[in-house]
Amino acid sequence: MSFLDAAERVLELDADRQPMALADIVELALKRGYIETRGKTPAATLSAQIGGENRRRKARGEVPRFTKPKHGHYGLTIWQGEGIARAVAQHRHEIAEELKEQLRQLTPDEFEAFVADLLATIGVEELEVVGQPGDKGIDVRGILVVAGVIRRSIAVQAKRWTTNNVGRPAVQQLRGGLGSHDIGLLVTVGAFANTAREEAERRDAAPVALLDGDGISELMLEHEIGVTRTRLEIFEIADVSSVEVDARRGRSHE
């Protein structure tokens, strides 16, 4: 589970719809095994990730998942009554779930082709769907380009697993098929167990990134893959008294 998903889970189950201190969110997420980290400042990591996601969603004209009603405390947008913000957040969640359900219906070959198309959208180049006997479990290969300068070979295993506990062996299998300069990416419609995340984060082994169903659906929404975006204009009431004052000032100069 990602830091952001873990924070959302803690707030849903433990906050009683009240803002919770960042340190308490992290403490409960670690205690319940939602996340595991070797970093020394997990609270700072979570704060940075929440801020980054909120900025990205606002830039796309979307409602953020998290609120920050006061310093160091976070809540969920969905708590904000039955108004527009809650309706938008709920609609986004329902669309994401429907996207994952559609992915579950793909054949293995279709899913591999979809993953290649998704990677092309986010900037991976020279993509090739391999997925043949003797490929050592690698389904897609490509070149990850960063800022137009850094180029790294990426080897992808795309599995349409629907289980929510994809474990350590899956990461080990992918790592065993990597070349000396490859970055690995393991993709599934389901979710990864903590053991998989532990294995992927090993610093004494070839790097492997994980992309689960929630991450796939977020990328699809962000890049409008399989969805269309409709932007709405929302008006809020301003301070009417200030408008009247300005109007009177205007008349006084006539």
Side-chain angles (χ1 to χ4, degrees):
M1 186 178 295
S2 70
F3 268 62
L4 294 173
D5 290 341
E8 183 179 36
R9 177 74 61 84
V10 169
L11 290 169
E12 286 175 341
L13 298 180
D14 299 286
D16 195 26
R17 301 176 69 87
Q18 296 297 319
M20 182 178 287
L22 184 66
D24 294 337
I25 296 173
V26 172
E27 181 181 354
L28 284 171
L30 290 168
K31 181 179 179 180
R32 299 211 170 123
Y34 297 157
I35 56 173
E36 294 187 12
T37 178
R38 298 177 182 177
K40 296 181 179 180
T41 56
T45 298
L46 177 58
S47 177
Q49 291 189 12
I50 290 176
E53 183 186 81
N54 283 357
R55 287 190 294 273
R56 289 192 298 273
R57 289 196 176 189
K58 288 178 180 178
R60 299 194 298 264
E62 299 169 359
V63 177
R65 181 171 21 166
F66 299 95
T67 62
K68 188 179 180 181
K70 58 182 179 178
H71 180 71
H73 288 69
Y74 293 88
L76 295 175
T77 300
I78 201 169
W79 294 345
Q80 297 178 344
E82 298 297 333
I84 293 174
R86 178 178 178 134
V88 170
Q90 181 62 32
H91 180 68
R92 180 186 178 89
H93 174 74
E94 291 171 357
I95 293 296
E97 291 300 312
E98 177 60 27
L99 289 172
K100 287 189 287 185
E101 181 57 34
Q102 291 185 18
L103 293 176
R104 295 184 187 103
Q105 305 307 316
L106 298 180
T107 66
D109 288 346
E110 289 171 340
F111 185 63
E112 290 174 7
F114 163 80
V115 169
D117 289 342
L118 178 65
L119 294 175
T121 301
I122 63 177
V124 180
E125 300 179 355
E126 299 179 31
L127 283 156
E128 179 185 8
V129 179
V130 286
Q132 300 295 328
D135 61 13
K136 297 182 180 179
I138 306 302
D139 299 309
V140 180
R141 288 189 175 276
I143 301 297
L144 178 63
V145 182
V146 181
V149 177
I150 302 172
R151 297 173 63 86
R152 289 289 302 271
S153 174
I154 182 170
V156 184
Q157 189 174 76
K159 300 302 181 187
R160 197 177 42 84
W161 297 307
T162 57
T163 179
N164 286 329
N165 62 345
V166 177
R168 187 186 307 272
V171 180
Q172 293 172 331
Q173 180 188 17
L174 171 58
R175 186 171 276 140
L178 298 180
S180 58
H181 301 291
D182 285 341
I183 296 174
L185 174 62
L186 183 58
V187 184
T188 178
V189 182
F192 294 101
N194 287 332
T195 55
R197 298 189 181 280
E198 290 172 0
E199 181 65 28
E201 293 173 1
R202 279 179 49 200
R203 298 183 180 181
D204 60 345
V208 172
L210 305 178
L211 181 62
D212 61 11
D214 289 340
I216 295 173
S217 62
E218 280 297 318
L219 286 174
M220 294 177 72
L221 291 171
E222 181 176 348
H223 296 278
E224 298 184 43
I225 300 172
V227 298
T228 56
R229 187 193 307 272
T230 301
R231 296 188 180 275
L232 302 177
E233 289 187 347
I234 299 174
F235 295 90
E236 297 181 354
I237 297 296
D239 185 351
V240 178
S241 62
S242 64
V243 175
E244 292 175 347
V245 169
D246 290 342
R248 288 195 298 270
R249 287 174 179 170
R251 288 195 296 271
S252 68
H253 293 290
E254 292 178 357

